[in-house]
Amino acid sequence: MYAFVDQFLSGLKNTLLVFALSCAFGTLLGLLIAVLRNSTRKSVSSCMRAYTGIIRGVPELLIILLTYFGGTAFLSAIAGGYIEINAFAAGVAALTVVFSGYAAEIFRGAINAVAPGQREAAAALGLSNSQIWFLVIIPQMIPIALPAFCNLCISLIKDTSLISVVGLTDVMRVAYIGAGSLRAPLPFYLAASAIYLALTSLSLLSFRLLERRYSLPAMKG
């Protein structure tokens, strides 16, 4: 068991990197989708609605497998020979897509919760559409979206374990290899459980502090 400490640390590093990149890219993509959902063009709004509906209706594991094998098939077709997509890149891409689909719905609900009069007042003051979004709507939607967004981030931490199916050496992959090589599944899976529990507990504490920082001032105003 102690011989796998270094492997667990390396796997933890990959897990944290996948989480950080997927969360960052997924947040930006989700915010863009939420904004486009409110577009006056029905074709754009319908496409974004279909995107979120498909992503939320397909299991995360299937999206990871489709991204990995689909990316491999796409690169192989372009290159004219077999090229296997990097497991890390496939995992980040897949979880970014998954995260953006759920985040978009959270942001959309928060945007719709902002009083319509705020937009009208900003337009009356002569603010451009981009200024209205960045200076009026988004700052007010953050405290509303924050609780659900924090829960989504915690779910993302646990979803990173699914990437082990495509060969990425993360915490779950190390536990699987260790359990199989030493024929002692219980200690390794308990160790993996402890690592994920520690990550989610620390994240929950951090998010509670973040909610206290941003939500309470908004409620007082």
Side-chain angles (χ1 to χ4, degrees), residues 147-177:
F149 179 78
C150 292
N151 290 333
L152 184 61
C153 289
I154 292 175
S155 296
L156 178 62
I157 294 176
K158 295 181 289 185
D159 286 343
T160 58
S161 62
L162 299 174
I163 306 178
S164 61
V165 299
V166 295
L168 180 66
T169 307
D170 64 339
V171 172
M172 195 64 191
R173 182 69 176 177
V174 172
Y176 175 78
I177 293 174

Side-chain angles (χ1 to χ4, degrees), residues 47-59 63:
C47 288
M48 296 302 102
R49 186 183 299 110
Y51 174 87
T52 57
I54 292 173
I55 295 304
R56 293 188 299 154
V58 178
I63 294 178

Side-chain angles (χ1 to χ4, degrees), residues 186-221:
L186 185 59
F188 282 95
Y189 289 132
L190 284 176
S193 300
I195 293 174
Y196 284 113
L197 181 60
L199 290 177
T200 54
S201 299
L202 289 174
S203 299
L204 184 60
L205 177 60
S206 301
F207 290 145
R208 282 180 178 175
L209 295 176
L210 194 62
E211 288 181 31
R212 185 179 304 175
R213 169 66 179 82
Y214 287 98
S215 297
L216 293 183
M219 291 176 63
K220 291 178 180 179

Side-chain angles (χ1 to χ4, degrees), residues 17-33:
L17 282 174
V18 169
F19 165 74
L21 293 174
S22 301
C23 184
F25 295 147
T27 299
L28 294 176
L29 182 57
L31 183 58
L32 176 61
I33 294 171

